[in-house]
Amino acid sequence: MRWLIVLLLICLIFNRAGDWLQKLGLGRLPGDVRFRIFGRQIFLPFASCILLSLVASGVMMVL
């Protein structure tokens, strides 16, 4: 349950910071999903979340 909440929070952060993160190349990976419902654009960054998780794990292993 805790990981589901963390995943939801990461998705919310990606939705708010989507334009800034696209400049870094995140949000356009093959596993990221964008769709439009009722005039609102929804962005689910599955691949970007996994990539950032791997980077964070690598940093924690080094430290």
Side-chain angles (χ1 to χ4, degrees), residues 10-51:
I10 289 173
C11 286
L12 288 173
I13 291 170
F14 267 103
N15 274 328
R16 296 292 178 202
D19 295 332
W20 180 74
L21 290 172
Q22 281 185 350
K23 292 179 185 176
L24 297 174
L26 295 174
R28 291 180 285 165
L29 297 174
D32 295 337
V33 179
R34 287 182 184 266
F35 55 92
R36 187 173 294 270
I37 295 179
F38 302 117
R40 293 195 67 173
Q41 184 174 349
I42 306 296
F43 174 53
L44 301 172
F46 296 119
S48 295
C49 288
I50 291 171
L51 179 66

Side-chain angles (χ1 to χ4, degrees), residues 1-11:
M1 185 68 176
R2 184 172 39 176
W3 287 106
L4 183 62
I5 293 170
V6 170
L7 183 63
L8 177 67
L9 289 174
I10 289 173
C11 286

